Amino acid sequence: MQQTQHLFSLRVELLLLLGMAFFWTITYLLVIYKGFRDRTCGMPMAAICANITWEFLFSFILPFNPLQQIITVIWFFLDCIILLQFFYYSKRQNPTWPAKTVVISLIVIALLLHYGVAMEFHDLEGKYSAFGINLMMSILFIRMLMTQDLRGQSKYIAYFKMIGTLCISVLSYSQYPHSILLTMMYIFIFIIDVVYILLITNQSIKIINRINKPIEKHLFTAI
């Protein structure tokens, strides 16, 4: 990892960090709320495993900043709720699928990979793996929209995720402006998040139109 620089002032960087913390925390809460409301898990399984292991590693094993540690611990416990949602609803939807075995295996693999990346790239802030997870999440959210429609998802989740990620992308660019790989991930994540917002907005409009058509037909018949 290249040496940290500061293109922006420390005050601006702190605001970006707090913005990231706020918008991503709201994203997690909305995912949990929508999951309970729709009786499903609003986050892809691979993303849950990657998230919860990253948060565990950089909260309890390799903490690197007191404020970030507080934020990451909060996210870890929110992800625990999302993981419990996954176990509960996946068991109801497919009782024979060995969810616990698969998830535990993925968690072990993800934790080892996060640790390996941190050591190999001398990245004790977990930036490479964090943005890699974020990129994967952006892609998997689109896939989830295609497979289970709007169940567990909403345009508010999409917007808050995009804004939170944009905050941390700008902050990371301020600190590591010469990292080509990180810059590519910032751009890819933003583009895919915009596509996801457009897709989920379009899907919402289709659902509203399907609901309104029978009502309009009934009113026309009554007249």
Side-chain angles (χ1 to χ4, degrees), residues 74-88:
I74 293 172
W75 290 348
F76 173 76
F77 285 109
L78 291 176
D79 258 327
C80 286
I81 297 175
I82 296 173
L83 180 60
L84 290 175
Q85 283 183 322
F86 175 81
F87 282 136
Y88 180 73

Side-chain angles (χ1 to χ4, degrees), residues 19-197:
M20 177 271 297
F22 173 77
F23 287 109
W24 260 103
T25 301
I26 297 299
T27 301
Y28 280 127
L29 292 173
L30 288 174
V31 168
I32 292 169
Y33 168 75
K34 196 70 165 56
F36 282 126
R37 181 178 176 183
D38 294 348
R39 299 178 182 276
T40 188
C41 179
M43 188 176 290
M45 178 185 63
I48 299 172
C49 297
N51 270 341
I52 203 167
T53 48
W54 189 95
E55 291 152 0
F56 177 81
L57 180 64
F58 292 100
S59 291
F60 307 110
I61 300 177
L62 298 174
F64 57 88
N65 176 286
L67 178 57
Q68 180 64 60
Q69 184 179 19
I70 294 172
I71 296 167
T72 309
V73 168
I74 293 172
W75 290 348
F76 173 76
F77 285 109
L78 291 176
D79 258 327
C80 286
I81 297 175
I82 296 173
L83 180 60
L84 290 175
Q85 283 183 322
F86 175 81
F87 282 136
Y88 180 73
Y89 291 117
S90 63
K91 183 177 181 180
R92 293 186 62 185
Q93 294 168 4
N94 191 353
T96 60
W97 190 62
K100 290 183 180 179
T101 303
V102 173
V103 169
I104 291 173
S105 300
L106 287 177
I107 283 176
V108 172
I109 293 171
L111 182 61
L112 292 175
L113 287 176
H114 291 327
Y115 183 78
V117 170
M119 296 298 105
E120 181 77 15
F121 290 90
H122 306 287
D123 180 24
L124 299 182
E125 294 182 358
K127 288 190 179 296
Y128 287 115
S129 53
F131 282 103
I133 294 169
N134 210 316
L135 178 59
M136 177 186 68
M137 285 183 65
S138 297
I139 296 171
L140 291 179
F141 269 124
I142 292 177
R143 181 182 179 278
M144 191 166 67
L145 179 64
M146 294 178 175
T147 57
Q148 65 182 48
D149 208 8
L150 289 178
R151 293 181 64 244
Q153 299 178 83
S154 73
K155 62 182 179 180
Y156 300 107
I157 293 173
Y159 276 114
F160 279 107
K161 177 193 178 301
M162 185 188 72
I163 297 171
T165 303
L166 188 58
C167 287
I168 193 59
S169 296
V170 175
L171 171 59
S172 184
Y173 181 77
S174 172
Q175 297 174 342
Y176 305 101
H178 301 297
S179 174
I180 297 174
L181 178 57
L182 287 175
T183 301
M184 290 173 63
M185 287 196 283
Y186 310 149
I187 296 170
F188 288 148
I189 293 168
F190 180 74
I191 292 172
I192 296 172
D193 282 348
V194 170
V195 171
Y196 177 56
I197 288 173

